[in-house]
Amino acid sequence: MKEVKIEDFKVTEPIKLDGTLNDWDLGASEEKLEDHLEDTRQKLGELQDTLYAHGKYAVLVCLQGMDTAGKDSLIREVFKDFNARGVVVHSFKTPTVLEKRHDYLWRHYIALPERGKFGVFNRTHYENVLVTRVHPEYILGENLPDINSLDDINAEFWEKRFQQINDFEKTIQQNGTIIFKFFLNISKDEQKDRQLRRLDKPEKNWKFSPGDLDERELWEDYRKYYEDAINRTSKPHAPWYIIPSDDKETARVIVAEIMLQELKKYKDIKEPELEDDIKAKISEYRERLKND
């Protein structure tokens, strides 16, 4: 199997989504990919145990992608071997009435993982510069000062919002959160095939909504705004990774490998040692337990 090289996927300079790949050949069969993923996720699970004991870092995994990009199944397969208490998944839907009474980042801030844990955002704070750019009328529902009509939602408004997102990520990174941002990049043809499977298989019908077809018609708009968001917010402290996702198994291996390789760079993440006076009495404590 070919090596997963982080630099093939990490966004370090402005990109054009039309020039990025939807498919990637790792030179391995589906069986070998599954075996490699199992090995990698076990190592990630062990690393999370150490992360918890260390208690100084949290990990935030942000997943974005068009409908049917494979976010749900990626979460299920990549984090399967984690301690259930070590990873918390949040799927952000349309903001509630309560959430709209706060700034748009509030619901994401309160969902951040605590130190020692992984947090997964299935759709993220980036919806606020993606869906709302395709449908700017949604901004009016936020009841913001100085936003009284669609004319007020101008270039300056979006510039401020991108700066707010960059500041948000910089703040949490400086306070111990390691950030991964993955864009699952599927082709329009692959999306069509996956939506058809939802209709063809009765057990998958529940995943389909007629609104999905309406959003598909806005494919080019979404791609344009994804490209803009990625280019404006891929920073050294919180880079974007574009993951070819027409093949789900390959995408999962790439995501898991990127996380493992990057987290291994944190040489200070290790289990704490016992204090010397406790360590010196290990034999005594053992005898006390045996004689209990």
Side-chain angles (χ1 to χ4, degrees):
M1 183 177 132
K2 297 178 183 177
E3 179 185 0
V4 174
K5 298 180 180 179
I6 290 176
E7 59 268 23
D8 289 333
F9 311 100
K10 189 175 185 178
V11 178
T12 57
E13 58 185 29
I15 54 94
K16 290 285 187 182
L17 278 181
D18 286 345
T20 59
L21 295 177
N22 309 110
D23 204 3
W24 196 269
D25 183 12
L26 287 175
S29 65
E30 183 174 332
E31 183 179 1
K32 286 185 177 180
L33 288 173
E34 290 176 352
D35 289 343
H36 187 86
L37 177 60
E38 182 178 0
D39 180 64
T40 305
R41 71 188 181 210
Q42 286 178 352
K43 292 176 181 176
L44 280 169
E46 293 168 0
L47 194 152
Q48 189 277 317
D49 286 339
T50 304
L51 188 86
Y52 183 82
H54 185 241
K56 290 190 177 182
Y57 293 101
V59 178
L60 175 63
V61 181
C62 298
L63 297 177
Q64 285 287 160
M66 301 290 284
D67 181 45
T68 76
K71 297 181 293 296
D72 292 339
S73 60
L74 185 147
I75 293 169
R76 182 187 67 239
E77 296 301 324
V78 170
F79 296 96
K80 185 181 291 185
D81 291 325
F82 275 56
N83 184 316
R85 294 181 297 176
V87 57
V88 181
V89 179
H90 294 275
S91 296
F92 294 101
K93 307 297 184 183
T94 301
T96 65
V97 173
L98 173 62
E99 289 167 346
K100 285 183 178 181
R101 294 184 69 86
H102 295 267
D103 70 90
Y104 69 95
L105 287 171
W106 176 77
R107 65 175 180 160
H108 304 286
Y109 205 103
I110 63 175
L112 289 172
E114 62 191 79
R115 290 187 178 91
K117 293 188 177 183
F118 279 62
V120 183
F121 285 3
N122 183 357
R123 297 192 183 276
T124 72
H125 43 295
Y126 282 95
E127 294 292 289
N128 298 282
V129 289
L130 293 167
V131 175
T132 52
R133 289 191 83 182
V134 177
H135 300 284
E137 63 274 14
Y138 294 171
I139 295 292
L140 299 179
E142 296 183 21
N143 201 28
L144 296 172
D146 302 322
I147 302 296
N148 301 305
S149 70
L150 292 179
D151 291 337
D152 297 322
I153 307 170
N154 52 26
E156 182 183 2
F157 173 86
W158 295 116
E159 184 63 37
K160 287 180 180 178
R161 188 153 281 200
F162 280 120
Q163 187 59 55
Q164 290 161 359
I165 288 175
N166 284 326
D167 289 344
F168 165 69
E169 292 177 351
K170 186 65 174 177
T171 297
I172 64 174
Q173 183 271 335
Q174 289 176 335
N175 285 276
T177 297
I178 301 167
I179 304 170
F180 293 98
K181 300 185 299 192
F182 298 109
F183 172 64
L184 305 187
N185 190 29
I186 65 167
S187 64
K188 194 173 184 180
D189 287 343
E190 179 63 22
Q191 186 194 63
K192 178 181 177 179
D193 290 343
R194 292 181 187 182
Q195 287 180 332
L196 283 171
R197 286 198 291 274
R198 288 180 177 180
L199 293 172
D200 293 341
K201 296 182 178 181
E203 69 274 16
K204 300 289 186 180
N205 287 172
W206 66 273
K207 290 187 173 184
F208 178 79
S209 167
D212 296 340
L213 301 185
D214 296 332
E215 293 299 283
R216 178 174 164 81
E217 293 179 1
L218 300 170
W219 176 274
E220 295 303 327
D221 289 337
Y222 273 105
R223 296 282 287 186
K224 176 175 66 176
Y225 293 132
Y226 262 114
E227 182 179 291
D228 193 34
I230 290 169
N231 285 333
R232 287 173 178 255
T233 61
S234 192
K235 306 294 182 181
H237 62 274
W240 276 100
Y241 300 90
I242 298 180
I243 308 300
S245 298
D246 275 5
D247 181 77
K248 290 185 177 182
E249 287 76 15
T250 299
R252 295 164 189 164
V253 168
I254 293 172
V255 167
E257 270 291 337
I258 288 173
M259 288 195 294
L260 182 61
Q261 290 179 35
E262 286 291 345
L263 289 171
K264 281 184 174 180
K265 295 178 182 177
Y266 288 80
K267 301 301 182 183
D268 58 328
I269 298 178
K270 53 188 176 183
E271 294 182 358
E273 293 187 6
L274 288 174
E275 296 177 8
D276 290 340
D277 59 335
I278 297 178
K279 191 186 299 185
K281 295 181 179 179
I282 289 291
S283 297
E284 177 184 333
Y285 299 143
R286 184 183 294 111
E287 288 302 314
R288 284 179 60 183
L289 282 170
K290 286 182 177 180
N291 297 325
D292 188 358

